[in-house]
């Protein structure tokens, strides 16, 4: 991720959870490639932290909504075994 793009978007909140996750994946790929300068790495790390917190906040908000809908009790999701699934 170029430094200008990272620096320009460092403080902006993403429009959605999906956008944040996509941008976070791009940052991780760029950092893992090891081709960023030290300044770009630091800017990417800061942006990644902001995106991670945004995603955590969104997930927590959804969990709270589910608790309200389920009468304040989270229940384990029941997954019916797939007929084609060999695992038992």
């Amino acid at each position: 991720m170029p430094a200008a793009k990272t620096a320009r978007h460092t403080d902006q909140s993403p429009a959605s959870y999906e956008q944040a996750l996509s941008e976070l994946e791009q940052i991780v790929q760029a950092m893992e490639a090891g081709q960023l300068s030290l300044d770009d790495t630091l800017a990417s790390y800061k942006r990644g932290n902001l995106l991670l917190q945004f995603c955590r906040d969104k997930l927590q908000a959804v969990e709270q909504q589910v608790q309200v809908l389920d009468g304040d009790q989270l229940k384990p999701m029941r997954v019916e075994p797939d007929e084609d699934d060999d695992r038992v």
Side-chain angles (χ1 to χ4, degrees), residues 3-87:
K5 185 176 181 184
T6 301
R8 192 171 55 236
H9 297 295
T10 300
D11 296 332
Q12 293 179 348
S13 291
S16 67
Y17 174 84
E18 292 77 13
Q19 181 185 6
L21 193 57
S22 175
E23 187 179 344
L24 190 54
E25 288 172 349
Q26 291 172 2
I27 289 172
V28 169
Q29 289 173 356
M31 291 179 79
E32 286 179 344
Q35 297 178 347
L36 297 175
S37 70
L38 185 59
D39 290 338
D40 289 346
T41 300
L42 181 59
S44 294
Y45 184 80
K46 288 179 181 179
R47 179 64 178 166
N49 277 336
L50 183 134
L51 294 168
L52 183 60
Q53 189 60 50
F54 177 87
C55 289
R56 286 179 177 163
D57 291 346
K58 285 289 186 183
L59 289 173
Q60 185 176 20
V62 169
E63 184 177 296
Q64 289 174 351
Q65 290 176 354
V66 169
Q67 285 177 338
V68 167
L69 293 173
D70 280 346
D72 210 23
Q73 293 180 358
L74 280 180
K75 301 171 187 161
M77 188 172 99
R78 295 192 65 211
V79 179
E80 299 297 326
D82 189 6
E83 292 177 15
D84 297 332
D85 194 355
D86 293 338
R87 295 175 287 165

